[in-house]
């Protein structure tokens, strides 16, 4: 039976007043008014001293009990149990009954059903149901070992809040953070401040984020970077899932190929490790970094697939590209690293300087060693047009069945037009006075270029034509069949590869920038209130999906 020490009953006191610490077993009793004035001293015999206070039991070798102050100093092999869930052992505990606060020193161990906390000094607030340490602590559960300088344990929520030098050790990964909230039941971690996760095949850095430590999946929503599958993924929100071998990112994304030095920028992207591929959309652009120049490729959708030495870049719908002195557009682009061939598919057009080239299909080939442009093919209905740079009225034109071009030092130098070739060319003397308009038909034409302008024309195999004075060649005879001038579409800068829709794109709003969305806390709210119209918490069977949070973040 539990009785108040010295028979002083608390039942007459008002129910809101603190309750007295009760002695269950006192064993040996003494007093020492010199060292412990007003205290009763109990020491064990063959059984430890035992006290009880409002659902908690305490055992120790020696107890110094101040009844009037309703406080207790427990010394030697101290054990404090709260119900069936919490047990704390230490060398010493000071317990304040009025506020139900225990402070433990020396080899403190706090345990419940799913974790163990070890530290040198621990405060246990039984009113708030919180435990707190600030002199380094270690938490061990079934999955992880967590250490930090400062920590707080919320007993009812089974949640830890770690501060300062937080470290999580797991057989599969490590996690380091400035601040970490961790739920011992779900094993979910919420990161605040600079945080780094290092797994066998990945490294994640973020300054706000969520991580499911059981399955190695989560997201970062501030200054996030993931090193994964020979790529660096950066964005406003980045999601990662080890089991699915998958990562995705939203808003202001950069994906860097660490082997080939290629870069993809977009506002949504996915990385699939098993397929060794990247999918990107929403103002997506691929940047191939070269020694003297870079190639920019854009499309409504970009895909990069294949192993590092066999990368294939595909741009679908509204595809465009730009590099210095060479740009183009078409429906789709297919570029293969292994062969060095870039194909412009469906309605292609390219501009080499001021020279417009069209055909049914256009191929560009790069030198695999130097990565510089090597050759050009325009197949079926090849057509070259440039505005006469002197008069700024007429158009120089050449056409044939096929066109073959040759680059030297990344500059187009030689163009061969073959089969059914025709040319219209405005000829000037050294004083820029018009000599006449050359209009010729033959089997092959070779054009020598210099600084993206025609330097010389050579006709092969029975050329038929003449140089006409301007007045003798009617306007309608100065245009070859199939002529279409598209100068207003010319891509002059890397920004021109984006159209109006790309530039006016509305980015999704990333939730949780200040604090990661705590799905564990939401679940606690659901338990208390199944329908919460104020906070708009979804029903229990529609628990928030962290992947969707990271991928499709929008304001409610």
């Amino acid at each position: 039976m539990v009785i108040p020490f010295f028979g002083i009953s608390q039942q007459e006191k008002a129910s809101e007043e603190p309750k007295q610490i009760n002695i269950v077993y006192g064993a040996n009793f003494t007093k020492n008014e010199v060292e412990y004035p007003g205290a009763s001293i109990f020491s064990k015999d063959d059984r430890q001293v035992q006290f009880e206070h409002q659902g908690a039991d305490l055992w120790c070798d020696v107890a110094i009990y101040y009844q009037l102050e309703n406080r207790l100093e427990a010394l030697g092999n101290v054990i404090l149990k709260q119900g069936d869930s919490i047990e704390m052992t230490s060398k010493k505990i000071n317990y304040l009954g009025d506020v139900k606060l225990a402070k433990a020193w020396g080899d403190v161990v706090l345990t419940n059903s799913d974790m163990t906390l070890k530290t040198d000094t621990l405060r246990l607030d039984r009113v708030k149901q919180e435990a707190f340490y600030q002199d380094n602590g270690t938490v061990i559960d079934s999955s992880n070992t967590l250490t930090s300088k400062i920590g707080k344990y919320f007993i009812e929520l089974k949640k830890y809040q770690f501060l300062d030098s937080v470290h999580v050790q797991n057989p599969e990964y490590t996690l380091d953070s400035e601040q970490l909230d961790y739920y011992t039941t779900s094993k979910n971690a919420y990161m605040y401040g600079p945080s780094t996760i290092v797994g066998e095949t990945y490294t994640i850095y973020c300054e706000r984020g969520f991580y499911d430590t059981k399955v190695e999946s989560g997201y970062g929503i501030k200054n996030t970077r993931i090193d994964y599958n020979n790529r660096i993924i950066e964005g406003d929100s980045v999601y990662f899932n080890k089991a699915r071998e998958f990562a995705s990112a939203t808003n202001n994304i950069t994906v860097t190929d660490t082997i080939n030095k290629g870069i993809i920028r977009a506002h949504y992207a996915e990385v699939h490790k098993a397929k060794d591929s990247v999918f990107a959309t929403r103002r997506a652009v691929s940047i191939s970094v070269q020694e003297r120049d870079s190639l920019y490729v854009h499309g409504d959708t970009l895909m990069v697939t294949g192993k590092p030495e066999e990368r294939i870049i595909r741009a679908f719908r509204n595809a465009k590209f730009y590099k210095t002195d060479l740009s183009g557009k078409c429906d789709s682009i297919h570029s293969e690293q292994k062969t060095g061939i870039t194909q412009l598919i469906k309605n292609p057009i390219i501009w080499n300087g001021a020279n417009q080239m069209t055909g049914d299909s256009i191929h560009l080939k790069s030198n695999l060693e130097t990565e510089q442009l090597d050759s050009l093919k325009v197949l079926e209905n090849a057509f070259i047009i440039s505005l006469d740079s002197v008069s700024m009225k007429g158009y120089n034109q050449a056409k044939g069945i096929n066109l073959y071009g040759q680059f030297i030092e990344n500059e187009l130098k030689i163009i061969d037009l073959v089969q059914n070739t025709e040319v219209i060319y405005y000829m000037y003397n050294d004083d820029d006075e018009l000599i006449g308009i050359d209009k010729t038909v033959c089997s092959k034409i070779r054009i020598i270029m210099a600084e993206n302008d025609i330097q010389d024309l050579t006709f092969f195999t029975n050329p038929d034509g003449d140089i006409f004075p301007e007045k003798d060649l009617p306007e309608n005879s100065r245009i070859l069949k199939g002529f279409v001038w598209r100068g207003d579409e010319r891509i002059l800068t890397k920004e021109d590869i984006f159209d109006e829709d790309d530039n006016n794109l509305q980015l999704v709003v990333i939730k949780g920038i200040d604090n990661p969305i705590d799905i564990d806390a939401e679940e606690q709210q659901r338990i208390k209130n199944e329908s919460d119209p104020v906070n708009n918490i979804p029903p229990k069977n529609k628990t928030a999906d962290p992947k969707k949070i990271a991928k499709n973040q929008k304001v409610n």
Side-chain angles (χ1 to χ4, degrees):
M1 183 176 74
V2 176
I3 59 172
F5 179 61
F6 291 158
I8 298 174
S9 173
Q10 304 296 311
Q11 293 178 356
E12 291 82 14
K13 293 191 175 184
S15 59
E16 66 270 12
E17 292 187 6
K19 293 187 177 181
Q20 195 71 27
I21 299 171
N22 298 314
I23 183 169
V24 177
Y25 183 73
N28 302 311
F29 167 70
T30 60
K31 292 181 74 70
N32 185 337
E33 291 297 331
V34 176
E35 294 189 26
Y36 307 105
S40 300
I41 303 171
F42 300 88
S43 59
K44 71 172 185 176
D45 47 23
D46 58 346
R47 174 182 168 189
Q48 282 190 303
V49 178
Q50 181 180 356
F51 288 81
E52 180 276 338
H53 188 246
Q54 291 188 268
D57 290 280
L58 184 147
W59 293 264
C60 61
D61 294 344
V62 177
I64 302 169
Y65 176 46
Y66 297 86
Q67 183 186 12
L68 294 179
E69 300 174 26
N70 199 25
R71 67 184 178 90
L72 176 69
E73 294 181 17
L75 305 170
N77 300 306
V78 184
I79 302 172
L80 176 65
K81 287 187 177 181
Q82 179 176 285
D84 297 328
S85 59
I86 294 292
E87 178 177 311
M88 181 168 66
T89 63
S90 64
K91 293 180 179 179
K92 178 182 177 181
I93 286 181
N94 282 358
Y95 184 76
L96 305 178
D98 288 356
V99 293
K100 298 170 70 173
L101 178 66
K103 183 177 181 181
W105 290 272
D107 299 330
V108 183
V109 179
L110 179 72
T111 59
N112 69 5
S113 58
D114 55 7
M115 72 87 201
T116 299
L117 164 62
K118 297 179 181 180
T119 187
D120 183 68
T121 304
L122 185 70
R123 292 167 176 81
L124 176 62
D125 188 331
R126 296 186 56 233
V127 175
K128 295 181 178 179
Q129 289 293 287
E130 296 175 1
F132 173 75
Y133 65 84
Q134 58 183 4
D135 298 305
N136 299 307
T138 300
V139 175
I140 303 171
D141 65 12
S142 59
S143 301
N144 303 298
T145 298
L146 305 95
T147 59
S148 69
K149 186 174 181 180
I150 300 170
K152 182 182 285 189
Y153 179 49
F154 301 86
I155 296 171
E156 292 181 346
L157 295 175
K158 294 189 175 182
K159 169 187 174 180
Y160 274 95
Q161 187 175 78
F162 298 105
L163 298 171
D164 197 348
S165 306
V166 185
H167 178 75
V168 181
Q169 187 69 45
N170 182 284
E172 303 297 327
Y173 60 86
T174 60
L175 188 160
D176 292 279
S177 181
E178 286 300 305
Q179 179 181 337
L180 184 79
D181 287 1
Y182 179 76
Y183 289 83
T184 59
T185 300
S186 67
K187 307 294 188 292
N188 288 338
Y190 298 84
M191 296 165 285
Y192 307 80
S195 305
T196 302
I197 305 169
V198 180
E200 183 179 355
T201 59
Y202 63 90
T203 298
I204 302 173
Y205 173 85
C206 70
E207 294 174 13
R208 294 286 187 276
F210 162 86
Y211 191 66
D212 184 337
T213 68
K214 301 187 305 296
V215 297
E216 299 181 64
S217 175
Y219 63 85
I221 50 177
K222 184 178 180 182
N223 296 332
T224 304
R225 165 179 167 155
I226 298 180
D227 293 48
Y228 181 57
N229 194 32
N230 298 318
R231 292 181 171 95
I232 298 171
I233 308 159
E234 300 167 283
D236 290 356
S237 174
V238 183
Y239 170 81
F240 173 77
N241 187 302
K242 179 186 176 183
R244 293 176 56 203
E245 297 186 316
F246 173 82
S248 65
T250 302
N251 289 2
N252 300 305
I253 302 157
T254 300
V255 181
T256 303
D257 188 324
T258 58
I259 294 178
N260 293 336
K261 308 304 179 186
I263 295 171
I264 289 178
R265 292 197 174 104
H267 290 303
Y268 180 74
E270 296 178 357
V271 175
H272 300 264
K273 182 183 178 184
K275 298 178 181 178
D276 212 329
S277 66
V278 177
F279 164 90
T281 186
R282 296 176 64 82
R283 209 173 189 270
V285 57
S286 168
I287 307 170
S288 300
V289 180
Q290 300 172 358
E291 184 179 352
R292 297 182 182 178
D293 199 5
S294 295
L295 174 64
Y296 298 81
V297 177
H298 164 71
D300 291 349
T301 301
L302 290 182
M303 288 188 66
V304 182
T305 58
K307 299 183 182 299
E309 64 279 4
E310 298 178 359
R311 293 273 195 253
I312 295 175
I313 300 175
R314 297 178 178 91
F316 299 102
R317 293 175 296 279
N318 194 28
K320 300 175 184 177
F321 76 91
Y322 170 82
K323 69 187 304 293
T324 303
D325 294 330
L326 189 68
S327 61
K329 59 190 291 187
C330 57
D331 180 72
S332 59
I333 294 173
H334 181 286
S335 182
E336 187 171 349
Q337 181 180 342
K338 189 175 182 179
T339 62
I341 295 175
T342 298
Q343 300 179 57
L344 279 63
I345 303 167
K346 195 174 181 181
N347 300 320
I349 179 172
I350 64 173
W351 291 271
N352 173 237
N355 300 297
Q356 170 187 302
M357 304 184 194
T358 55
D360 292 356
S361 178
I362 298 178
H363 297 178
L364 292 162
K365 191 175 190 307
S366 296
N367 186 300
L368 298 179
E369 294 183 2
T370 65
E371 296 185 346
Q372 293 185 342
L373 285 172
D374 177 79
S375 59
L376 162 72
K377 290 182 181 179
V378 181
L379 304 178
E380 301 295 329
N381 299 306
F383 210 128
I384 309 175
I385 306 172
S386 65
L387 180 65
D388 176 26
S389 60
V390 178
S391 69
M392 301 300 291
K393 294 180 180 179
Y395 295 91
N396 296 312
Q397 304 155 60
K399 61 180 288 190
I401 300 298
N402 297 318
L403 179 152
Y404 302 96
Q406 200 170 336
F407 291 86
I408 299 174
E409 295 295 324
N410 255 351
E411 185 178 341
L412 186 60
K413 291 290 189 180
I414 302 172
I415 298 174
D416 287 321
L417 279 159
V418 297
Q419 294 182 266
N420 303 330
T421 60
E422 300 178 57
V423 69
I424 291 178
Y425 181 65
Y426 287 72
M427 301 182 67
Y428 292 87
N429 61 24
D430 293 339
D431 296 324
D432 286 339
E433 296 172 339
L434 183 64
I435 299 171
I437 302 173
D438 187 340
K439 186 172 184 180
T440 301
V441 176
C442 61
S443 295
K444 176 183 175 182
I445 301 171
R446 169 161 287 190
I447 304 173
I448 303 300
M449 306 288 291
E451 297 180 354
N452 298 320
D453 202 0
I454 297 174
Q455 186 180 48
D456 186 56
L457 285 172
T458 305
F459 305 107
F460 297 88
T461 315
N462 301 321
D464 183 14
D466 203 348
I467 299 175
F468 296 89
E470 185 177 16
K471 62 182 178 60
D472 293 340
L473 190 65
E475 291 282 347
N476 59 3
S477 298
R478 301 177 191 179
I479 298 296
L480 296 178
K481 185 178 180 182
F483 172 93
V484 178
W485 177 243
R486 297 166 63 182
D488 58 340
E489 300 178 39
R490 183 180 168 190
I491 299 168
L492 296 170
T493 71
K494 61 184 179 182
E495 296 302 320
D496 290 345
I497 61 177
F498 303 110
D499 58 25
E500 186 176 353
D501 289 341
D502 294 317
N503 293 326
N504 293 325
L505 190 66
Q506 294 296 313
L507 301 185
V508 297
V509 177
I510 305 298
K511 286 185 176 182
I513 296 297
D514 295 325
N515 295 304
I517 297 171
D518 192 329
I519 59 176
D520 290 85
E522 284 191 356
E523 181 63 22
Q524 291 293 332
Q525 287 294 103
R526 274 188 286 273
I527 291 171
K528 294 178 182 178
N529 187 357
E530 287 284 343
S531 58
D532 186 347
V534 176
N535 296 300
N536 197 27
I537 296 174
K540 190 172 183 179
N541 62 352
K542 293 184 180 179
T543 302
D545 184 340
K547 177 185 174 184
K548 291 180 180 178
I549 292 171
K551 285 178 59 179
N552 191 24
Q553 310 223 17
K554 296 183 179 179
V555 175
N556 290 330

